[in-house]
Amino acid sequence: PACTRGMRNMLRMKGLRCTSNLTGMAITLEGGQRADAPAGIELRRLQDFSIFRDEPHPVLGGVRSGAAKRSLEEMVFLQEAFPEQVYHLGACSGRCVVGVATLFLGPESAGIYDVAVLPEWRRRGIGTAMTGELCHHARLKGYDRVVLVASKDGRFLYREFGFQEVC
């Protein structure tokens, strides 16, 4: 994919490289990116991660292994240590968290990470709604651009949403 020279140079200076499986994408926020959540889905900030003791986490799966438990502990730590910079979003159907996504507000840009929806809940607009909510939150916090790294599966969703490949 084509890169803008400035973005490519900035990524290389920071030691980042794009691969054929992962694509760097960005969007300029103009206020219209928010998408409605599907019926029966509530988007809310996740602050209590104890639900994942019994229910699968959309990124980690069942949190039973040591590695999955440490990853969940890291999420909790980041949220508690940096509440103004880290925003974990959940897409909830009742008490069940069916999708998650994270927004990190850095000094230079906002980044979206770990967008995932449980397999049986995919293709309903949940990922799009979470992406829109995080872009809206970034705009409210004064950011005019959001970046992310898209998997092959996520590229189409993000292109449809307005993200453009930067590398």
Side-chain angles (χ1 to χ4, degrees):
C3 281
T4 63
R5 180 180 299 271
M7 181 65 80
R8 179 180 25 203
N9 290 340
M10 182 189 75
L11 291 172
R12 286 191 177 151
M13 285 176 18
K14 294 189 182 276
L16 301 172
R17 304 283 184 269
C18 291
T19 68
S20 60
N21 292 329
L22 299 172
T23 303
M25 302 183 85
I27 189 169
T28 301
L29 301 176
E30 298 171 352
Q33 285 86 6
R34 201 167 193 183
D36 291 330
I41 298 295
E42 178 189 357
L43 301 179
R44 63 178 178 245
R45 185 173 191 171
L46 291 178
Q47 295 179 303
D48 179 7
F49 290 80
S50 64
I51 190 169
F52 299 116
R53 289 185 201 137
D54 301 318
E55 300 292 331
H57 186 281
V59 173
L60 303 172
V63 182
R64 297 183 192 1
S65 72
K69 287 178 183 176
R70 281 189 299 281
S71 292
L72 193 60
E73 288 168 0
E74 288 172 6
M75 289 178 200
V76 171
F77 170 77
L78 289 172
Q79 176 112 351
E80 290 174 353
F82 306 100
E84 294 300 315
Q85 288 84 27
V86 177
Y87 188 89
H88 294 296
L89 182 68
C92 304
S93 175
R95 277 196 32 82
C96 183
V97 179
V98 300
V100 295
T102 299
L103 178 68
F104 176 74
L105 301 172
E108 297 175 21
S109 63
I112 294 177
Y113 299 88
D114 296 333
V115 177
V117 176
L118 293 174
E120 61 271 24
W121 288 86
R122 291 181 185 156
R123 309 254 183 262
R124 300 183 193 191
I126 296 170
T128 300
M130 290 190 302
T131 301
E133 185 67 20
L134 293 179
C135 286
H136 176 72
H137 186 75
R139 184 155 173 83
L140 289 176
K141 294 291 186 175
Y143 290 83
D144 62 0
R145 186 175 173 109
V146 172
V147 298
L148 56 78
V149 176
S151 65
K152 282 185 179 181
D153 293 337
R155 283 184 204 151
F156 177 76
L157 177 147
Y158 299 121
R159 278 191 202 118
E160 288 290 308
F161 195 81
F163 280 84
Q164 296 180 358
E165 293 182 20
V166 294
C167 74

